Amino acid sequence: MEKYKLFDAEYKFVSIIWDNEPINSTELVKLCADKLGWKKSTTYTVLKKLCERGILQNKDATVTSLVKREDVQRYESRAVVEKTFDGSLLKFLTAFLSGRKLSEQEAKELKRIIEEAAK
Amino acid sequence: MNLLIFITVVNMSITASYVAIGVILVRLLLKKAPKIFSYVLWTPVLFRLICPFSFDSTFSLFNLINLYVKQGTGVSELFMQTPVIHSGIGSIDGTANISLTSAIPAVSPNPVQIWTAVISPSPNPKQIWLTAFSLIWIFGVITLLIYSIVSYVKIKGKLQTATRVDGNVFESDAIGTAFIFGFIRPKIYVPANVEDASLLYILEHERTHIRRKDYLIKLIAFLLLILHWFNPLIWLCFVLMSRDMEMSCDENVLRKLGDSAKVGYSSSLLSQAVKRKGLLTVNPLAFGESDVKTRIKNILNYKKPAFWVIVIAVIAVCAATIAFVTNPSKSVAYTSDIYIKSP
């Protein structure tokens, strides 16, 4: 599971790839310079590190992702529930929803998701 | 050569110590005035730490010290010892002594004694001590420099992957507090995921630092601190000056954003301080914040100063600066002649 642990900067970087893959690495350097303010060397350092961790792939200067955005999001949200709410989904939801109103649409959607999960 | 530099530094340090005590006293008087005055007041200390020369004036603080010392206090010993020991080394020429004496506000209780010491021939046990001290000093300077450079490079590495938010503002989850980094093109680094409400204040604060070139002043002050590391009073000065710098920066932000910002601003400071615990210890070169409690009090108590307060503060700072920067006038300081005559 630790594989999906991404730092803030890494997450932003992988997000760029999710949005644009497959992407040429030269192109990626340009995008990172523009969106993240990174130097060429920084982009390559982070790219190499994430390739080693099996999150990205760099073949013939074409970069693609090996993990899905949903996987990382699932890991991140579970980590938050684990760390901050002692693993209690109820506590998390209570905290998340307190002082916040759901729209009709959101409530319906949530209901559906919960029923799905309870099956 | 090494010894000559060491003696010059020690003498500057002693001179600066007198000035520092003066500044700390005047600073107490300025407690109610805007902090910018306390901040500017440190200039003479900076000057004395860096420059062994100055010009003479009857208004010099050291005129007072001279009068005091003439009545026979031990303080002068320190002043005298160094040049005396110094003269035991063969290669010293007149210019060195001249530069030394102008560095030291001359305060000799007994010129005759020094005169004999100057001409007394070599084997001087004090000279060995002096050499030893100068080596310890150099060692300390080098150690501190290496330590600072290493932590600077470490932070730089950590900040490499910080992502741009806007312009020269970057965010990173590797840091717990906002600071300015870089000297030629300074950038503002903020912790990732700061609430937008806090961000406004943080950025205004850091931008004020950049506008006022505070990060450069702090760099200079820090280098001087390394040069004078053996003097605890200078460490105190560094801490106090940093605090004055921060508080006057806070006041600047408040003047700009208005009184209504007081509560929001101080609570953003507080939340930053809480988060910082356990994260990255602040390197003086990374432009960190200090003394949150004092600063919050200062922010909450801040009022636009009355006109007369500013007038008095300006006069006090100007008078203090003249008194602290200048050397005693020749009529009071009589020792310099003696040194020039030395072989």
Side-chain angles (χ1 to χ4, degrees):
Chain A
M1 256 335 235
E2 277 301 312
K3 180 182 171 184
Y4 297 111
K5 170 78 192 131
L6 293 179
F7 287 110
D8 180 67
E10 292 170 337
Y11 188 80
K12 283 178 190 156
F13 178 67
V14 180
S15 290
I16 290 178
I17 291 157
W18 281 325
D19 291 340
N20 298 286
E21 69 182 331
I23 181 171
N24 180 275
S25 58
T26 328
E27 202 61 33
L28 183 65
V29 168
K30 265 187 222 154
L31 262 181
C32 288
D34 184 41
K35 287 192 172 171
L36 306 176
W38 281 5
K39 280 186 232 142
K40 187 176 169 184
S41 58
T42 308
T43 302
Y44 278 114
T45 311
V46 179
L47 177 62
K48 195 170 154 244
K49 207 171 142 198
L50 292 174
C51 284
E52 279 164 10
R53 285 174 56 189
I55 287 173
L56 299 176
Q57 194 181 32
N58 186 6
K59 254 192 194 158
D60 306 326
T62 305
V63 181
T64 47
S65 66
L66 295 177
V67 299
K68 287 201 211 87
R69 193 193 293 256
E70 291 75 28
D71 293 334
V72 175
Q73 283 170 342
R74 190 187 309 131
Y75 168 77
E76 281 295 336
S77 53
R78 279 191 189 157
V80 169
V81 173
E82 234 14 89
K83 206 173 124 193
T84 321
F85 299 94
D86 310 320
S88 158
L89 191 61
L90 272 180
K91 275 188 205 165
F92 168 74
L93 272 180
T94 319
F96 189 75
L97 293 175
S98 71
R100 186 176 185 275
K101 281 235 164 71
L102 288 178
S103 71
E104 189 89 0
Q105 187 62 38
E106 282 174 319
K108 261 188 196 159
E109 187 76 358
L110 260 180
K111 229 176 175 177
R112 192 188 60 76
I113 293 169
I114 291 169
E115 276 162 10
E116 194 87 353
K119 266 180 196 164
Chain B
M1 190 56 200
N2 178 6
L3 278 181
L4 184 58
I5 295 171
F6 176 58
I7 289 164
T8 312
V9 169
V10 170
N11 284 326
M12 287 193 295
S13 215
I14 293 165
T15 315
S17 297
Y18 280 104
V19 174
I21 293 168
V23 166
I24 290 169
L25 291 177
V26 177
R27 207 172 146 272
L28 287 178
L29 297 176
L30 292 173
K31 225 175 162 184
K32 297 274 176 211
K35 294 293 176 219
I36 183 76
F37 292 108
S38 307
Y39 180 31
V40 173
L41 198 57
W42 291 106
T43 323
V45 181
L46 221 66
F47 171 76
R48 288 295 191 177
L49 287 175
I50 207 171
C51 177
F53 316 103
S54 184
F55 41 89
D56 304 338
S57 138
T58 31
F59 300 110
S60 173
L61 162 79
F62 296 98
N63 287 332
L64 287 176
I65 296 174
N66 275 354
L67 293 177
Y68 182 60
V69 171
K70 265 190 238 164
Q71 285 153 16
T73 5
V75 208
S76 57
E77 291 305 302
L78 264 175
F79 281 85
M80 292 345 303
Q81 255 179 20
T82 26
V84 171
I85 300 156
H86 187 224
S87 60
I89 307 146
S91 62
I92 307 305
D93 57 308
T95 35
N97 281 324
I98 294 166
S99 72
L100 279 177
T101 38
S102 47
I104 323 159
V107 272
S108 160
N110 187 355
V112 184
Q113 197 189 331
I114 296 136
W115 177 238
T116 41
V118 167
I119 48 170
S120 75
S122 263
N124 191 345
K126 281 181 181 171
Q127 190 190 323
I128 299 162
W129 280 108
L130 188 67
T131 312
F133 282 136
S134 77
L135 289 177
I136 294 171
W137 169 70
I138 286 272
F139 178 76
V141 170
I142 291 172
T143 310
L144 285 168
L145 273 181
I146 290 175
Y147 173 76
S148 316
I149 292 168
V150 167
S151 39
Y152 184 86
V153 170
K154 262 191 194 162
I155 297 176
K156 200 177 160 76
K158 246 186 190 172
L159 294 177
Q160 196 194 15
T161 58
T163 52
R164 177 182 280 142
V165 182
D166 181 33
N168 64 345
V169 183
F170 286 71
E171 69 176 357
S172 163
D173 55 1
I175 56 173
T177 179
F179 53 78
I180 296 169
F181 199 79
F183 297 110
I184 296 159
R185 261 170 302 161
K187 291 175 183 144
I188 300 172
Y189 291 89
V190 295
N193 311 319
V194 177
E195 307 87 43
D196 286 354
S198 293
L199 196 61
L200 170 82
Y201 301 116
I202 294 171
L203 289 184
E204 197 52 54
H205 179 93
E206 303 302 341
R207 281 184 182 134
T208 307
H209 276 317
I210 291 185
R211 242 193 335 267
R212 306 197 309 182
K213 305 272 180 248
D214 282 345
Y215 57 99
L216 290 178
I217 293 172
K218 195 145 182 179
L219 172 70
I220 294 167
F222 183 69
L223 291 177
L224 287 176
L225 178 67
I226 288 182
L227 198 66
H228 295 266
W229 64 267
F230 52 86
N231 187 342
L233 202 56
I234 305 304
W235 288 83
L236 176 69
C237 288
F238 186 77
V239 171
L240 292 178
M241 190 221 55
S242 305
R243 194 185 286 171
D244 290 342
M245 177 188 278
E246 290 307 326
M247 293 205 284
S248 79
C249 184
D250 289 338
E251 290 177 356
N252 232 315
V253 173
L254 282 183
R255 255 200 307 282
K256 197 166 173 191
L257 298 181
D259 272 3
S260 54
K262 274 184 182 178
V263 175
Y265 189 30
S266 40
S267 66
S268 103
L269 266 186
L270 187 63
S271 66
Q272 272 218 68
V274 174
K275 264 189 239 155
R276 192 190 322 155
K277 271 198 175 153
L279 273 154
L280 194 81
T281 45
V282 179
N283 177 294
L285 287 184
F287 206 78
E289 314 306 333
S290 53
D291 304 296
V292 171
K293 198 174 154 193
T294 342
R295 284 177 59 196
I296 288 180
K297 268 192 201 155
N298 188 53
I299 289 167
L300 293 178
N301 289 331
Y302 179 73
K303 285 192 295 276
K304 278 231 166 76
F307 182 67
W308 64 269
V309 173
I310 295 185
V311 172
I312 290 178
V314 168
I315 294 171
V317 169
C318 290
T321 306
I322 293 171
F324 295 158
V325 163
T326 54
N327 280 341
S329 54
K330 285 282 189 304
S331 60
V332 187
Y334 44 82
T335 28
S336 38
D337 296 337
I338 296 162
Y339 285 102
I340 297 163
K341 272 189 268 165
S342 75

